[in-house]
Amino acid sequence: MDLEAVVKSMGTHERKVLLALQQLGGEGDIADVAGRAALEPATAMRAALALQGLGFIRIEERKRTLAAATEEGLAYAKDGLPERRMLRSLLELGPCTPEEAASRAGLTEGQMRIALGWLRRKGWAVFIKQAGRTMLAPTRDGEAAAGKKQQDEELLELLALKSVEVEELPSHLRSELAVLARRGLVEVEQRVQRRLALTEPGERALALGLELVEEVSELTQELLVSGRWREVKFRRYDVAAPGPQLVPGRLHPQQEIIEELREILLEMGFVEIKSNLVESEFWNFDVLFQAQDHPAREIHASLSLSKPGRARLPEALVERVASAHERGVAGSTGWGYKFDADISRRPVMCSQTTAATIRYLASHPKPPAKVFCLGRVYRHEKIDYKHLAEFYQAEGIVMDEGLTLRDMLGYLKLIINKLGFERVRFRPGMFPFTEPSVEADVYHPRRREWIEILGAGMFRPEVLRPLGVRCPVLAWGIGLTRLIAMRLGLEDIRDVFCNDLRWISRTTKLKPSGG
Amino acid sequence: MPTISVKYRDLCELLGRRVRWGSLKRSLMMMGIEAEAAGGELKLEVAHNRPDLLSVEGVARALRGFLGIEVGLPNYGLKNSGVVVRVDRSTRGVRPYFAGGIVEDVKLTDASVAQLMQVQDKLHETLGRDRRRVAIGIHDLDRVRPPFRYTTVSPEGVRFVPLDMDRELTPAEILGEHPKGVRYAHLLQGFDRYPLIVDAKGNVLSMPPIINGELTRVTAGTRRLFVDVTGTHERAVNQALVILMTGLAERGFKLGSISVKYPGRSLRVPDLKPRRKRLNVRAANEMLGLKLRVREAAEIMRRMRFGVVGARGDSLSLLVPPYRTDILHEVDLIEELAVGYGYDRLKPTLPKVATVGERHPLEALSARVRKVLTGLGFLEVMTFTLTNPRTNFELMRAEGEAATIANPISEEYTILRTWLIPCLMSVFRENKLHPLPQRIFEVGDVVLLDEGAETGARDVRRVAAAAVGDVGNFTYIKAVAEAVLRELNVSYEVKPLEHPSFLEGRAAEVVSEGKRLGIIGELHPEVILNFELEHPVAALELDLQAG
């Protein structure tokens, strides 16, 4: 920055200090400068430091030992030391009792005792016996001392005028300093003295001319309305200084990714449906051609309910499903066991959102249809860094005449690409309700590995026929926990439900590549 | 999904050639088997519906076809061994079905004995439903003398040395003392006679489904095997037998059938006859989006180890190997065709299915509410619907009923929440060391018991918001509630409410068209302290689907 710009950007305080220093001849104590600039010493010092930073002045610091009179010392300097005042009385009264002398001198009892001590020590008075009474009488020294200032008195008077640097005291007075200090009449202290001195750039800055304008910190209504804002100077802020932190209201990071997925599916023309948290075993398993003794239905796989107790079922559909299980349907062998509708009526925590898409097909058996469901599902899992008992699943179906397995892969690839994964790989999978079945893996560039992301397939005829559906239905499901954890950079999947408010307010989702 | 471990060398020997691990892993993946190598062992994850892949022999058999080493229907010779097993009528009530077979020319190594144990275990777990449906016993035939009898015995009616014991026990003692007895005693609970297999001299081979006798223990020196399978589901019993025996045949051992004589009927097992199934190639092409010729399809199916006995028009006549218990319908054959063709060769296509996307109205409403509350500076939290009565009721000074889990995972998750405010209080508790004020909300479902609902319970979408610190007062939270209601165009009234969770005189209900839409209030000091908080809290909870 050139000098002119620097001078222009200087604040009022800095200008005042610089001008004051100039008036003091280019050099002066900070106290003197502050006085001249009409600033508080602390304000002047801050400005001085700023000026030093600009290179306009030098600040020299010097440690000094100062001697100054105390309050008591100041009083004695005015009225005289107690022993001096007592001596004066004695000389006026002649030998008398101490009390008489003190009373004449106007001393308190305490001061009288001090005076007696010092009269003796200085040899100005002695006690004598006179007519059986103890009297105080001035000595010759005392008479000689009358009207003649002693060194200690001289020093006290000097220090009463102003504090003096010990080293500058005349040598004959310096020895008295300790005595007066012991008497508590004088204080000796260390002080740092700051002297300011103009530098050559400072002088050049002054030569450019410093205008003094009023500086304000805030723009007020008064300033705006009165038009005074034109005349004042606004204090410059240190714009890089750290300020308070604000936390905006925001969505939970998991919710953000769920919303993103919802948008993707809506864009693709899928209609959203809702799942039930509490389902019957019929809709959760039976309709999906999962045999009633299938391992996935055992007590350790899903969460069953003791309350409510029984669900109502669509009886006609139950019969068709039962016969598909027992004897098969549409050319299938079936499972060859005895179907039990009591099992179907048991309520269970929804373990797959497929229950919702199947309910939709049961009431909308005619093509075309594209629906999806984003909902919570439940598993009988001990919760740890890899497992949750309650988590989100996304599920979708496409129903139309003539759909093929390759079409299935086409939808999957599109959804996965839209989620931000570029490379996808398909391999055979196994689900009780689809045939053929597919598993899809995505390539995670940061981790450099393939990660299983979704399962899909075409609903089996044993599933569709009892519902009255006659054309192919493509179905896919994504357990969202792993996907969400990946997008949020979480290792422990429990953290997708993290409610640490600092985390929620600071977390942003990552691109799958980590970029 | 069940997992088995196999030795790489063993697998290669069964394949008859050495296949590099990388390409082996890839082939297995394209057959639907996930494989990981861990210290000389391979861990293979196999589909639930493919019990025939639960042994290294079964995997090798499928791989030989997939790799083109040996294709078509595997051919297993089966001799009549002349062994007879009589089934006593008394088994009918407890475990009615029996099947079995003989394996000769057996040459076992420690590795193949381990595989034999593994396939037995895995079949128990899957097809056998942990031995309830099917249990398998494998015996050294030369230690006993046929004919055998499948019968029952009273709990104290016999004494024999069970496997891994050195003294004779009665069946009752086995259920009480032997580790397997203790583990599987529940399968015989309530019966006064237990299943038993004995030889011509009354020696005990097995007490199904619990334990074999020590007498017929199989060792590396065993030359002839007797296999027994018992169960409650005849089809599954036979499937387990076929899968086990054809697997052993893959090692070159000879199979022998036996005659099972039930009262009034007798049959010869195992039944290794393949089933005939038709595959319509045109229908398959339509389903897969391919244009395979019948001849190509036949070749692929042979690689998947199906027999092809003829082609007529678009139709292939196939022989399904007896161990392929998963083939229920033609679609299962079509999937085989797709797997044999190679999922990696299927090119994705995108059809036009003309539909218009539409957000669920409840989700649209939820999104609006989220927008209002984030606009007011609230942070969204997401908590579990699973909770416990202490959090949902007691800490809130409230009472009530909730949908209840019969088999909870832990004491923390025993019921479904009936309201959201306790969840928000728990979040405040988690964040009590963070700076105040805090403003949070959740849009989520609660579950209410409702006899009128199909399942006896229904989900209700709610929003709850809460503030702690100097904003934890009625005036503020009411203003928030009103902002939400205004944005949703709801007309409402605010009426005083007495509620145990809130300070007296500082709670209100929001009523719209005569229905309670929600509640607002300052939390009761006891509730605040119950959640280990030290600052005032105010909260609101509104129904988003009351109307």
Side-chain angles (χ1 to χ4, degrees):
Chain A
M1 240 196 299
D2 65 282
L3 190 64
E4 209 162 329
V6 174
V7 168
K8 219 170 194 172
S9 75
M10 271 166 57
T12 308
H13 296 160
E14 286 79 30
R15 287 159 192 263
K16 284 183 175 167
V17 167
L18 205 57
L19 287 169
L21 196 52
Q22 187 183 36
Q23 287 160 14
L24 288 170
E27 210 183 314
D29 262 16
I30 183 69
D32 300 337
V33 174
R36 178 61 70 107
L39 292 172
E40 290 290 318
T43 311
M45 192 58 217
R46 267 201 303 277
L49 285 169
L51 288 168
Q52 180 178 243
L54 294 173
F56 291 171
I57 64 167
R58 268 193 322 275
I59 303 178
E60 286 159 8
E61 292 192 351
R62 206 153 59 84
K63 281 209 178 70
R64 297 197 307 167
T65 313
L66 286 179
T70 64
E71 214 167 302
E72 197 183 358
L74 284 174
Y76 290 162
K78 189 161 146 258
D79 302 331
L81 290 168
E83 63 270 25
R84 165 70 63 189
R85 286 156 69 185
M86 192 85 150
L87 179 64
R88 224 179 274 143
S89 300
L90 277 182
L91 290 172
E92 281 168 25
L93 296 174
C96 59
T97 61
E99 286 78 13
E100 285 165 346
S103 154
R104 167 110 190 172
L107 296 177
T108 63
E109 206 186 318
Q111 286 171 331
M112 178 185 80
R113 246 179 269 127
I114 296 172
L116 287 174
W118 285 99
L119 282 172
R120 277 221 327 248
R121 208 177 295 178
K122 291 185 176 174
W124 285 354
V126 289
F127 282 106
I128 53 167
K129 287 263 190 211
Q130 199 173 351
R133 286 165 59 196
T134 303
M135 311 278 260
L136 193 62
T139 59
R140 193 132 327 132
D141 277 357
E143 281 163 15
K148 187 167 175 251
K149 234 177 250 173
Q150 303 295 303
Q151 286 183 356
D152 55 348
E153 290 164 304
E154 200 182 324
L155 178 59
L156 188 61
E157 273 173 36
L158 181 67
L159 293 182
L161 286 176
K162 63 169 190 171
S163 41
V164 175
E165 203 166 336
V166 173
E167 287 178 12
E168 288 173 3
L169 283 174
S171 55
H172 68 282
L173 294 183
R174 223 176 284 173
S175 58
E176 296 299 326
L177 199 59
V179 180
L180 289 182
R182 257 202 312 278
R183 289 184 70 172
L185 305 182
V186 162
E187 266 175 345
V188 177
E189 60 175 344
Q190 297 268 336
R191 269 212 209 138
V192 177
Q193 189 198 26
R194 294 190 175 85
R195 276 187 83 74
L196 313 185
L198 267 178
T199 60
E200 188 269 333
E203 276 169 20
R204 276 194 288 133
L206 280 162
L208 288 171
L210 288 183
E211 207 181 329
L212 272 183
V213 213
E214 185 188 355
E215 200 180 45
V216 298
S217 61
E218 266 175 72
L219 180 59
T220 62
Q221 185 197 15
E222 191 272 324
L223 287 175
L224 280 167
V225 173
S226 65
R228 246 180 13 97
W229 62 269
R230 285 181 228 273
E231 294 149 30
V232 301
K233 182 173 164 60
F234 292 96
R235 189 159 62 77
R236 297 182 64 82
Y237 285 165
D238 176 1
V239 292
Q245 215 175 37
L246 280 186
V247 180
R250 57 169 294 177
L251 297 187
H252 193 276
Q254 174 169 233
Q255 186 68 43
E256 275 192 60
I257 295 169
I258 290 172
E259 275 301 318
E260 178 185 310
L261 182 57
R262 177 176 281 124
E263 290 295 337
I264 290 172
L265 295 168
L266 291 169
E267 270 174 27
M268 289 173 68
F270 283 82
V271 174
E272 184 171 21
I273 57 171
K274 287 262 312 151
S275 57
N276 298 327
L277 301 188
V278 178
E279 264 300 353
S280 59
E281 290 214 13
F282 179 74
W283 288 106
N284 198 67
F285 297 118
D286 293 337
V287 191
L288 292 165
F289 199 52
Q290 270 176 283
Q292 291 187 321
D293 65 352
H294 191 278
R297 302 183 62 159
E298 269 170 25
I299 197 81
H300 57 263
S302 51
L303 291 177
S304 48
L305 290 135
S306 57
K307 198 163 38 174
R310 267 159 80 89
R312 282 198 305 275
L313 299 181
E315 296 302 335
L317 181 57
V318 172
E319 257 177 54
R320 293 199 295 275
V321 168
S323 111
H325 278 234
E326 289 177 348
R327 298 183 294 282
V329 68
S332 162
T333 327
W335 295 117
Y337 74 105
K338 183 82 189 105
F339 188 88
D340 181 355
D342 273 341
I343 294 178
S344 311
R345 285 190 197 96
R346 294 197 300 226
V348 60
M349 292 311 296
C350 180
S351 72
Q352 46 199 6
T353 42
T354 325
T357 49
I358 284 290
R359 275 178 182 273
Y360 179 87
L361 284 177
S363 54
H364 303 77
K366 292 273 177 288
K370 276 176 10 204
V371 301
F372 77 98
C373 175
L374 272 166
R376 291 196 188 189
V377 294
Y378 301 80
R379 299 285 161 82
H380 196 273
E381 265 328 332
K382 213 167 168 46
I383 299 172
D384 61 27
Y385 75 104
K386 272 167 81 174
H387 299 97
L388 288 175
E390 176 178 346
F391 55 93
Y392 280 89
Q393 204 174 52
E395 185 99 15
I397 56 170
V398 183
M399 166 169 64
D400 206 357
E401 305 288 353
L403 291 175
T404 69
L405 181 63
R406 287 174 59 197
D407 296 337
M408 168 97 254
L409 303 188
Y411 275 108
L412 299 182
K413 189 169 185 313
L414 185 59
I415 293 168
I416 289 169
N417 289 160
K418 283 191 171 226
L419 280 171
F421 297 97
E422 280 167 22
R423 289 171 68 193
V424 55
R425 164 177 95 179
F426 299 111
R427 54 192 169 82
M430 206 304 280
F431 306 101
F433 40 92
T434 55
E435 195 80 15
S437 305
V438 187
E439 303 248 19
D441 302 327
V442 294
Y443 188 71
H444 196 287
R446 196 157 40 94
R447 295 197 201 164
R448 296 182 173 187
E449 58 179 348
W450 289 93
I451 292 168
E452 188 178 318
I453 193 165
L454 61 75
M458 302 173 78
F459 275 132
R460 295 188 66 97
E462 294 95 330
V463 174
L464 295 178
R465 197 56 73 80
L467 303 173
V469 176
R470 295 263 167 188
C471 67
V473 179
L474 313 177
W476 46 263
I478 312 180
L480 292 183
T481 313
R482 188 130 56 125
L483 176 76
I484 290 168
M486 229 180 332
R487 294 291 305 275
L488 297 177
L490 303 173
E491 294 297 330
D492 184 331
I493 68 158
R494 283 172 292 200
D495 289 341
V496 303
F497 277 94
C498 174
N499 284 317
D500 181 314
L501 300 184
R502 284 175 312 180
W503 179 77
I504 294 174
S505 56
R506 283 180 206 164
T507 300
T508 46
K509 59 195 176 192
L510 303 168
K511 281 260 165 15
S513 57
Chain B
M1 299 254 253
T3 305
I4 60 168
S5 58
V6 308
K7 292 249 189 298
Y8 174 68
R9 272 188 57 176
D10 197 18
L11 180 58
C12 287
E13 269 168 34
L14 284 160
L15 287 177
R17 73 168 66 156
R18 206 175 163 78
V19 182
R20 275 194 311 110
W21 164 235
S23 99
L24 192 63
K25 180 178 158 108
R26 192 172 162 71
S27 297
L28 286 166
M29 186 178 77
M30 282 304 148
M31 292 165 66
I33 300 172
E34 280 185 64
E36 289 300 331
E41 296 250 305
L42 309 181
K43 296 259 179 248
L44 307 183
E45 204 179 313
V46 175
H48 270 303
N49 65 339
R50 289 296 301 272
D52 60 303
L53 298 178
L54 291 174
S55 66
V56 65
E57 296 89 354
V59 171
R61 175 172 59 202
L63 255 176
R64 281 211 299 275
F66 198 76
L67 297 173
I69 300 169
E70 176 189 74
V71 299
L73 188 74
N75 189 16
Y76 303 115
L78 185 66
K79 266 188 355 201
N80 181 355
S81 68
V83 172
V84 172
V85 178
R86 280 178 210 288
V87 179
D88 200 275
R89 186 183 299 274
S90 64
T91 60
R92 199 172 281 176
V94 47
R95 203 167 176 83
Y97 301 107
F98 184 94
I102 306 294
V103 186
E104 294 187 331
D105 288 357
V106 171
K107 275 195 214 82
L108 292 173
T109 60
D110 288 342
S112 54
V113 171
Q115 277 298 311
L116 198 54
M117 309 284 266
Q118 175 169 271
V119 64
Q120 188 182 355
D121 274 354
K122 297 294 169 181
L123 286 172
H124 279 157
E125 277 171 28
T126 54
L127 253 185
R129 305 286 195 260
D130 208 15
R131 301 195 186 189
R132 177 168 45 77
R133 211 160 75 148
V134 175
I136 300 164
I138 303 173
H139 311 273
D140 185 337
L141 178 60
D142 294 321
R143 308 299 301 269
V144 285
R145 185 192 295 172
F148 304 121
R149 214 150 59 81
Y150 176 47
T151 180
T152 59
V153 66
S154 71
E156 307 290 349
V158 70
R159 299 184 73 83
F160 70 98
V161 182
L163 270 180
D164 303 324
M165 284 260 178
D166 51 10
R167 63 196 172 93
E168 289 190 339
L169 298 178
T170 65
E173 287 166 345
I174 288 173
L175 296 188
E177 295 171 30
H178 196 284
K180 295 285 180 197
V182 173
R183 163 114 196 255
Y184 292 104
H186 63 277
L187 296 175
L188 294 177
Q189 206 177 353
F191 294 104
D192 52 10
R193 293 183 73 79
Y194 301 154
L196 197 72
I197 302 171
V198 292
D199 79 346
K201 294 192 288 190
N203 292 315
V204 175
L205 280 77
S206 174
M207 175 183 155
I210 312 295
I211 189 88
N212 282 354
E214 181 66 34
L215 176 67
T216 54
R217 175 190 279 279
V218 174
T219 65
T222 300
R223 292 292 162 259
R224 292 200 299 159
L225 299 175
F226 170 62
V227 178
D228 82 75
V229 187
T230 60
T232 56
H233 188 287
E234 189 167 21
R235 197 203 284 191
V237 164
N238 285 310
Q239 286 173 343
L241 178 68
V242 167
I243 287 165
L244 188 80
M245 291 198 49
T246 57
L248 290 170
E250 290 292 327
R251 291 203 183 264
F253 309 157
K254 300 277 179 288
L255 306 185
S257 65
I258 63 165
S259 170
V260 179
K261 293 191 188 307
Y262 290 95
R265 70 171 172 141
S266 81
L267 40 104
R268 181 155 292 281
V269 287
D271 176 6
L272 299 184
K273 264 203 321 292
R275 285 179 295 149
R276 256 175 203 270
K277 276 252 176 207
R278 302 196 78 78
L279 172 63
N280 185 317
V281 178
R282 187 167 46 83
N285 278 330
E286 273 171 19
M287 190 166 186
L288 301 178
L290 294 177
K291 286 177 180 151
L292 293 172
R293 281 186 294 244
V294 174
R295 195 168 41 78
E296 288 173 285
E299 201 178 302
I300 291 171
M301 292 311 279
R302 282 169 56 75
R303 279 183 43 233
M304 298 310 283
R305 306 304 313 254
F306 291 84
V308 180
V309 287
R312 220 220 240 122
D314 288 322
S315 205
L316 278 179
S317 182
L318 300 179
L319 295 177
V320 179
Y323 54 82
R324 287 301 300 267
T325 57
D326 59 308
I327 307 292
L328 304 177
H329 189 275
E330 191 178 14
V331 288
D332 297 303
L333 296 172
I334 295 175
E335 182 178 69
E336 291 294 310
L337 189 63
V339 172
Y341 177 80
Y343 272 41
D344 46 349
R345 291 170 63 203
L346 289 170
K347 291 232 166 16
T349 45
L350 201 60
K352 285 263 177 291
V353 180
T355 53
V356 177
E358 195 183 316
R359 202 182 272 266
H360 192 280
L362 212 46
E363 292 298 344
L365 191 59
S366 299
R368 277 177 69 191
V369 169
R370 288 192 181 102
K371 209 168 259 181
V372 176
L373 285 167
T374 51
L376 291 171
F378 281 69
L379 284 180
E380 186 183 32
V381 300
M382 294 181 97
T383 62
F384 291 124
T385 58
L386 287 168
T387 182
N388 55 71
R390 189 173 148 72
T391 303
N392 194 71
F393 298 121
E394 284 166 39
L395 296 182
M396 297 300 297
R397 304 174 83 234
E399 286 173 2
E401 278 205 298
T404 306
I405 304 298
N407 56 334
I409 321 135
S410 75
E411 277 178 27
E412 220 178 319
Y413 304 117
T414 55
I415 63 166
L416 288 154
R417 64 183 177 197
T418 61
W419 56 331
L420 299 175
I421 291 176
C423 300
L424 298 188
M425 292 301 286
S426 303
V427 173
F428 280 147
R429 181 175 51 199
E430 262 177 66
N431 287 281
K432 67 187 235 180
L433 297 180
H434 297 165
L436 295 178
Q438 294 167 5
R439 301 174 176 86
I440 58 174
F441 77 98
E442 176 160 17
V443 177
D445 293 328
V446 301
V447 175
L448 303 179
L449 291 171
D450 179 356
E451 282 181 19
E454 182 189 317
T455 56
R458 75 190 148 86
D459 315 341
V460 179
R461 178 59 58 94
R462 297 254 184 95
V463 56
V468 62
D470 56 8
V471 289
N473 62 70
F474 185 83
T475 313
Y476 177 71
I477 208 71
K478 183 182 175 217
V480 172
E482 293 188 313
V484 172
L485 292 163
R486 221 164 35 235
E487 289 292 321
L488 299 184
N489 279 324
V490 178
S491 56
Y492 62 92
E493 278 177 277
V494 177
K495 293 181 173 174
L497 173 74
E498 291 306 318
H499 190 297
S501 304
F502 299 99
L503 258 181
E504 216 177 309
R506 297 196 187 177
E509 60 177 342
V510 179
V511 180
S512 179
E513 291 165 8
K515 268 179 150 170
R516 181 193 281 188
L517 209 60
I519 49 176
I520 45 183
E522 272 181 38
L523 273 298
H524 193 283
E526 253 177 52
V527 174
I528 293 172
L529 294 170
N530 283 346
F531 282 92
E532 298 159 33
L533 301 173
E534 293 170 358
H535 297 273
V537 181
L540 68 88
E541 178 155 348
L542 301 172
D543 252 356
L544 294 182
Q545 58 191 110

